[in-house]
């Protein structure tokens, strides 16, 4: 069995399982959310001290369906390696300090056979945007299969097609996406407020300076438009609100598509 090891445990989030569980429990307790359970959840992917509270708001919406979800399609941007299209990986499971998550190899193999994705372990090796979501998912859901995908240069239509292919009553789709980067606090708030409005309006033409993860998010918003799903903002903050200074902040939003 081939296992994808964690790349950012001990830096983006605690390596010690007990400390990690305690951190997640605190984030979930301090950020309640009672909105309807989503078909697609959009959550940020920074270090937990920065984006953990905003992500927790979204993950709290999964409580009513924790026993109903048995598969998660997790998709986000590539930060380190050039990539055209959408990449899966060859591993059988994805490891975190909380244990191994089985990967849905049948679905990845079929998507690759249909030329909707490629298999590229190199873009997954050090990528953090998927990994940071996994301990939250392990904490709020029961056992599930994982479909981990990284998006490079890919149009919304291609992403939407992959998402739609995998969408069913027992599959949750999670979009890993931050918002603006490295603006002064007040400027970032204005930019992110405008971007949030576009997201709720299902505008699927977002650019990288608006959302780090725009390609995955644009595909989800196009699918929401095609299926007439509603987009609801659950939280909008930035690193200046959580653990950073106000001179250069990163924006974080959480959205439910249902």
């Amino acid at each position: 069995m081939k296992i994808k090891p964690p790349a950012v445990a001990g830096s983006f989030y605690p390596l010690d399982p007990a400390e990690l569980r305690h951190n997640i429990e605190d984030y979930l307790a301090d950020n309640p959310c009672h909105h309807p359970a989503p078909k697609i959840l959009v959550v940020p992917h920074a270090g937990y001290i920065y984006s953990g509270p905003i992500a927790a708001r979204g993950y709290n919406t999964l409580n009513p369906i924790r026993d109903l979800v048995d598969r998660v399609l997790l998709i986000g941007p590539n930060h380190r390696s050039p990539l055209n299209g959408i990449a899966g990986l060859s591993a059988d499971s994805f490891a975190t300090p909380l244990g191994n998550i089985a990967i849905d190899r049948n679905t990845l193999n079929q998507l690759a056979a249909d030329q909707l994705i490629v298999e590229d372990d190199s873009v997954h090796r050090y990528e953090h945007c998927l990994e940071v979501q996994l301990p939250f998912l392990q904490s709020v859901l029961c056992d599930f299969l994982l479909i981990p995908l990284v998006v490079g240069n890919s149009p919304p239509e291609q992403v939407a097609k992959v998402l739609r292919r995998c969408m069913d009553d027992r599959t949750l789709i999670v979009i890993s996406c931050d918002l603006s980067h490295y603006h002064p606090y007040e400027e970032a708030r204005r930019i992110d407020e405008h971007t949030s409005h576009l997201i709720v309006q299902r505008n699927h033409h977002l650019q990288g300076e608006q959302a780090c993860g725009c390609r995955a998010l644009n595909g989800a918003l196009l699918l929401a438009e095609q299926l007439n799903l509603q987009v609801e903002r659950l939280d909008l903050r930035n690193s200046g609100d959580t653990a950073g200074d106000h001179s250069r902040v990163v924006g974080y939003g959480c959205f439910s598509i249902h």
Side-chain angles (χ1 to χ4, degrees), residues 49-101:
I49 63 168
Y50 300 107
S51 66
I54 297 88
R57 186 90 68 196
Y59 284 116
N60 268 319
T61 66
L62 303 183
N63 289 327
I65 58 172
R66 62 175 287 116
D67 299 319
L68 303 178
V69 172
D70 54 25
R71 189 171 69 161
V72 175
L73 189 158
L74 175 58
I75 184 168
N78 64 314
H79 287 87
R80 294 176 176 271
S81 302
L83 172 65
N84 286 317
I86 304 169
L89 74 172
S90 64
D92 300 296
S93 63
F94 202 130
T96 83
L98 301 185
N100 294 349
I101 304 170

Side-chain angles (χ1 to χ4, degrees), residues 33-51:
C33 192
H34 305 290
H35 291 259
K39 291 297 295 179
I40 303 174
L41 181 65
V42 181
V43 282
H45 55 235
Y48 281 12
I49 63 168
Y50 300 107
S51 66

Side-chain angles (χ1 to χ4, degrees), residues 180 182-193 249:
S180 67
Y182 308 135
H183 298 286
Y185 180 83
E186 291 299 338
E187 181 181 354
R189 286 188 63 186
R190 289 192 296 271
I191 293 170
D192 293 337
E193 187 67 43
V249 307

